[in-house]
Amino acid sequence: MRQDLACAACGQQRAAGLCETCGYRRRTEVLVMEGGLVAATWAADLTDAADAAAVTDRVRESLAADISKIQGEFMAMVEPGELDATSVLAFAALQAVEAAEAVRRACPRQAGTATAVPQRAPLPASA
């Protein structure tokens, strides 16, 4: 049965191929990558691979800071050793990235990581 399969990412038994924690992590990684690519579309010179990579790196760093902040806030509310927070922290990371994604969808040029992403210079007026 599928339910008997171990997690392909971490090896947790009876995880139906992907445990909850690794599922959250995988989805978070996808959203971070997509956010970087969207930001690069708006803010980078797409003919310059280094510029596009720099924008995606800044988005990744900004989202990592958001994730770290929300995870720290959660850990401050929990007594040490109170629970195994691995899955909860992975879920918190996903929530932080999804919140930034929602802002990006609402206003792509002012995405949740807009402070980390420079805006593309305006095109010169054609004569």
Side-chain angles (χ1 to χ4, degrees), residues 5-70:
L5 294 174
C7 176
C10 72
Q12 177 183 324
Q13 296 300 309
R14 300 188 47 80
L18 187 66
C19 72
E20 181 179 47
T21 301
C22 292
Y24 292 146
R25 288 179 180 154
R26 187 173 288 178
R27 182 69 185 133
T28 300
E29 290 170 12
V30 167
L31 287 175
V32 168
M33 180 187 66
E34 288 175 357
L37 293 174
V38 169
T41 300
W42 285 104
D45 174 0
L46 298 179
T47 62
D48 182 352
D51 188 37
V55 170
T56 57
D57 287 346
R58 284 192 298 271
V59 169
R60 186 178 311 276
E61 291 167 5
S62 177
L63 289 172
D66 292 347
I67 289 168
S68 195
K69 178 182 176 206
I70 199 166

